[in-house]
Amino acid sequence: MADKSFLDWPFLDDKHRAMAAEVEAWAEANLSSIDHHDTDAACRKLVADLGEAGLLRHSAVDPEGSAPLDVRSLCLIRETLARHDGLADFSFAMQGLGTGAISLFGTPEQQAEWLSQTRAGEAISAFALTEPASGSDVASSTMTATRDGDGYVLNGEKTWISNGGIADVYTLFARTGEAPGAKGLSAFIVPAGLPGFEVAERLEVIAPHPLATLRFTDCRIPASAMLGEPGQGFRIAMSVLDVFRSTVAAAALGFARRALDEAIERVTTRQVQGSPLFDLQMVQGHIADMALDIDAAALLVYRAAWTKDSGAPRVTREAAMAKLYATDRAQQVIDKAVQLHGGDGVRSGQTVEKLYREIRALRIYEGASDVQRVVIARQALSAHQGR
């Protein structure tokens, strides 16, 4: 049983504790029977089920309401789902990330059209930012959106797009040319199935998720598809990541908690020379390190989420620290769990083996660990110079 004492921390309110219990009960009742053999089908079912359960209402703002995104709720849901099933976490997370720009910058008409569908699990969303030659360096994006009459024409490629190939709607970033570099990008809502929009390649990874390279060839979209103003694309993308980066850390935290649970079960039931493996002091040291890393990561995650929910316009530093520490330390926690399982730890299909494959991508997407170090260093320098 995963530690729940963090729910009593002052970062969280009673509504968060109630919601955490709701998500836990749903996960226990629904996620043990998910068939992962067909990843696309599994994700479609998970989105539909999450929508039917009402959990996707937290993934985007209510088009008919005024409440902002609650980052603590997003983190709690991702942590809980990740602890139970990595694909369930992925399915929830992409609904939020894919529509994050619509939640934050969409017009009432754009929100009404798309968020009502994604919150209900009736449409799948995706966030199309990365390109073959520009991953972390978003300002180097080369995909173009050229103004043509009453619309724009898209040309270029996006790659490593989560939900690529199964999404109904994509938030896409392309160069509109208002200025060089980051200031010349804009954001658009692009429905699937438009002429000139094709899934060029499906990408296979060590922990199966729907991923694809997308190609746009003279793909026409209306001017009303733009999110925000021309040239605001980089700001929009960074604002979305500023919100959702903390939730990546929360997912890593969920993976780490599950790994610790599995490790404790292993070392308390496995016998070595007539005694539980846990009696060895070196094993106790590993368990202690795992528990320490998890609590430290949780403090960073919920500090970042609380800071954003408390009204901070940006939490770049806090979110970067949370993502860097939680994902890197989760990798170490899971590695220790694999080690404590011995040969069973690398046996295909074992829980810790699946966690080992799941965690690695979190140290890359939505800002690789090395990029987060650069972000944190620059924030520290800026704070020092501002004294």
Side-chain angles (χ1 to χ4, degrees):
M1 178 64 69
D3 175 36
K4 301 288 181 63
S5 61
F6 75 99
L7 292 172
D8 293 325
W9 291 353
F11 293 126
L12 302 172
D13 300 331
D14 285 342
K15 68 175 183 179
H16 297 114
R17 287 180 268 275
M19 188 207 65
E22 174 192 356
V23 180
E24 181 69 27
W26 182 87
E28 289 180 352
N30 291 275
L31 295 183
S32 61
S33 60
I34 294 295
D35 183 357
H36 289 77
H37 290 93
D38 185 334
T39 305
D40 289 1
C43 284
R44 290 190 180 100
K45 177 173 171 42
L46 282 163
V47 169
D49 290 349
L50 287 163
E52 184 179 354
L55 298 182
L56 289 179
R57 71 184 185 273
H58 300 285
S59 68
V61 299
D62 184 349
E64 299 180 0
S66 58
L69 287 168
D70 187 276
V71 186
R72 286 170 291 177
S73 293
L74 292 169
C75 287
L76 282 168
I77 294 172
R78 287 204 66 179
E79 178 184 336
T80 303
L81 293 177
R83 182 160 45 79
H84 284 272
D85 185 273
L87 204 57
D89 163 64
F90 171 90
S91 298
F92 174 84
M94 291 305 110
Q95 288 297 91
L97 181 65
T99 58
I102 304 176
S103 285
L104 298 176
F105 295 92
T107 64
E109 293 76 19
Q110 290 169 334
Q111 291 181 350
E113 179 178 6
W114 289 109
L115 299 187
S116 58
Q117 296 183 64
T118 60
R119 283 164 48 99
E122 297 169 355
I124 295 175
S125 65
F127 185 76
L129 180 63
T130 300
E131 297 182 6
S134 62
S136 299
D137 185 12
V138 176
S140 296
S141 297
T142 60
M143 181 169 176
T144 59
T146 305
R147 188 66 192 248
D148 183 41
D150 60 353
Y152 288 86
V153 177
L154 302 174
N155 280 285
E157 287 190 355
K158 296 291 181 180
T159 194
W160 296 111
I161 306 306
S162 295
N163 279 343
I166 70 168
D168 300 291
V169 60
Y170 296 79
T171 298
L172 180 139
F173 299 84
R175 184 162 299 285
T176 44
E178 287 74 21
K183 295 182 179 180
L185 299 174
S186 297
F188 299 91
I189 301 172
V190 181
L194 294 177
F197 175 6
E198 64 174 313
V199 178
E201 181 185 8
R202 293 300 297 271
L203 305 172
E204 299 295 330
V205 290
I206 57 176
H209 297 87
L211 291 162
T213 296
L214 312 176
R215 181 176 297 132
F216 298 83
T217 306
D218 295 332
C219 177
R220 179 175 289 275
I221 55 174
S224 60
M226 180 176 284
L227 282 160
E229 300 296 326
Q232 281 190 337
F234 183 82
R235 175 193 163 205
I236 290 172
M238 293 305 105
S239 296
V240 171
L241 294 176
D242 203 52
V243 169
F244 286 92
R245 192 162 278 156
S246 298
T247 77
V248 181
L253 183 58
F255 290 145
R257 288 196 195 279
R258 180 62 181 271
L260 177 59
D261 287 349
E262 296 291 328
I264 290 175
E265 176 67 18
R266 175 75 175 191
V267 301
T268 54
T269 57
R270 181 76 168 185
Q271 296 287 311
V272 176
Q273 296 180 347
S275 298
L277 189 58
F278 184 79
D279 286 352
L280 298 175
Q281 287 187 338
M282 183 175 292
V283 171
Q284 293 176 21
H286 288 323
I287 296 296
D289 288 343
M290 295 162 77
L292 177 61
D293 283 341
I294 287 171
D295 265 24
L299 285 164
L300 287 169
V301 169
Y302 290 104
R303 179 191 71 161
W306 173 82
T307 301
K308 184 63 177 177
D309 288 341
S310 297
R314 296 294 297 270
V315 287
T316 304
R317 172 178 175 271
E318 293 86 349
M321 286 184 169
K323 183 181 186 295
L324 172 63
Y325 190 86
T327 57
D328 278 7
R329 300 322 296 174
Q331 181 88 57
Q332 297 300 315
V333 168
I334 293 168
D335 188 74
K336 287 184 174 70
V338 169
Q339 191 72 19
L340 291 171
H341 276 73
D344 286 338
V346 292
R347 187 175 181 178
S348 181
Q350 292 290 311
T351 297
V352 293
E353 180 269 338
K354 290 188 287 186
L355 290 169
Y356 196 83
R357 289 185 285 108
E358 286 279 6
I359 188 58
R360 192 59 186 86
L362 274 65
R363 296 173 60 202
I364 298 173
Y365 74 70
E366 291 188 45
S369 292
D370 291 318
V371 173
Q372 299 314 305
R373 288 183 170 88
V374 172
V375 170
I376 294 165
R378 288 176 176 173
Q379 291 282 313
L381 178 62
S382 177
H384 177 79
Q385 292 175 335
R387 290 177 179 174

